[in-house]
Amino acid sequence: MKSVLIVPTFNEAENIERFLTQVRSDAPNTDILVVDDNSPDGTARIAELVAQRLGSIKVIKRTGLRGYAPASRDAMLSAIESGYDAIATMDADFSHDPKVLDKLISLVNSDTALVIGSRYVPGGGVTNWPLFRRVLSKWGNLYTAFCLRLKIKDCTSGFRVYSAKSLKNINLDGLKADGYAFLSEMAFVISRKKLGLIVESPIVYVDRAFGESKMNTRIMRESMVLVTRWGFALRTGIGRKHLPR
Ligand SMILES: Nc1nc2c(ncn2[C@@H]2O[C@H](COP(=O)(O)OP(=O)(O)OP(=O)(O)O)[C@@H](O)[C@H]2O)c(=O)[nH]1
Ligand SMILES: [Mg+2]
């Protein structure tokens, strides 16, 4: 199975070289697609230098409107076009352990649409996150699963692997989210369209040691608004046109 790892980056100059080197050593058979949003700190340039050294790394340099979601969607379209079978995503800040990537990829088969590296199944967890982030993430996930009627414990984990087969059935350009709500939206669409099994496998999430989080109130608000709107539309039929398809 041909696999690729998408790594969205914004200002990850302190992490990117070590991250790419580590992924290559832990998952040598997986190509890497860095999708950078014109980071002012020169992340893309560093990634290109590492790519020259290690090979099998492509760097997409986006300009214009930045965002986790549009960057991920662009990279997914590029990965589908390149003929990969398994398309993984990970953060560049070492919150996700590169050693687990191969295992998550190995769980993709013809029945599986999405494998989620999950903090909230037995064996999973979060280390050194402040209480506020823990509560926000845990309750955000419970709320999301309730609204969207998903039997998923960790809808918002960015460490995951999609089967290309499932992605090909999604109109990525028609999705609504700009920020991390994209992650819930993808799980929601896969479930609604019955594109295959969604499997959770435990991961331990580690708070970043270098660089800054891009999480902000706008992104949190977007998540809350979209999930609530979709949950409302599911139950009442009002605003069905807002449902992702
Ligand atoms: N291309 C692109 N990547 C982004 C953008 N925002 C965040 N990222 C990347 O997405 C990944 C996750 O972002 P983080 O800032 O770590 O968000 P988080 O993991 O929810 O927050 P922390 O746990 O506090 O680090 C990282 O690799 C970021 O560099 C963006 O606007 N564009
Ligand atoms: Mg992070």
Side-chain angles (χ1 to χ4, degrees), residues 44-135:
R45 185 74 203 116
I46 301 171
E48 283 172 336
L49 291 173
V50 180
Q52 280 170 18
R53 181 159 54 83
L54 297 182
S56 301
I57 298 176
K58 184 173 155 190
V59 182
I60 299 178
K61 294 193 275 187
R62 299 184 75 246
T63 49
L65 215 59
R66 94 164 171 93
Y68 179 87
S72 301
R73 288 196 303 260
D74 282 0
M76 284 172 176
L77 290 169
S78 161
I80 291 169
E81 199 160 299
S82 302
Y84 291 102
D85 308 298
I87 300 174
T89 63
M90 265 175 102
D91 296 354
D93 57 2
F94 286 96
S95 287
H96 303 146
D97 181 357
K99 289 198 167 43
V100 183
L101 178 59
D102 266 353
K103 157 121 194 264
L104 296 190
I105 291 173
S106 76
L107 294 174
V108 175
N109 59 40
S110 55
D111 298 327
T112 322
L114 171 62
V115 175
I116 300 179
S118 177
R119 295 161 288 188
Y120 305 120
V121 293
V126 172
T127 58
N128 38 341
W129 241 7
L131 185 66
F132 169 71
R133 282 300 297 268
R134 273 175 198 267
V135 172

Side-chain angles (χ1 to χ4, degrees), residues 3-5 23-24 27-32 56 88 101-102 105:
S3 57
V4 65
L5 170 67
V23 170
R24 177 48 49 81
N29 300 320
T30 296
D31 294 348
I32 306 174
S56 301
L101 178 59
D102 266 353
I105 291 173

Side-chain angles (χ1 to χ4, degrees), residues 175-189:
L175 300 182
K176 319 274 178 189
D178 286 327
Y180 305 121
F182 172 73
L183 296 163
S184 305
E185 186 174 28
M186 288 298 284
F188 185 39
V189 175

Side-chain angles (χ1 to χ4, degrees), residues 183-199:
L183 296 163
S184 305
E185 186 174 28
M186 288 298 284
F188 185 39
V189 175
I190 286 170
S191 161
R192 258 170 68 76
K193 297 184 84 152
K194 298 191 173 40
L195 297 181
L197 294 176
I198 300 179
V199 176

Side-chain angles (χ1 to χ4, degrees), residues 7-12 35-39 62 66-72 90-93 95-96 119 129 133 156 178 180 205-208 211-215 219:
V7 189
T9 56
F10 188 71
N11 284 350
E12 299 289 0
V35 53
D36 185 73
D37 261 316
N38 206 11
S39 298
R62 299 184 75 246
R66 94 164 171 93
Y68 179 87
S72 301
M90 265 175 102
D91 296 354
D93 57 2
S95 287
H96 303 146
R119 295 161 288 188
W129 241 7
R133 282 300 297 268
T156 60
D178 286 327
Y180 305 121
Y205 183 98
V206 183
D207 197 12
R208 64 161 74 235
E212 276 170 25
S213 171
K214 281 100 223 170
M215 179 64 98
I219 286 172

Side-chain angles (χ1 to χ4, degrees), residues 118 120-121 138 141-142 145 150-156 200:
S118 177
Y120 305 120
V121 293
K138 181 76 197 162
N141 263 297
L142 287 170
L150 297 172
K151 289 189 184 65
I152 300 172
K153 303 274 186 239
D154 198 348
C155 298
T156 60
E200 289 185 272

Side-chain angles (χ1 to χ4, degrees), residues 64 83 102-103 109 127 144 160-161 185 215 217 226-227 234 239 241:
D102 266 353
K103 157 121 194 264
N109 59 40
T127 58
T144 301
R160 43 172 69 190
V161 191
E185 186 174 28
M215 179 64 98
T217 45
L226 286 179
V227 164
L234 270 186
K241 67 173 189 298

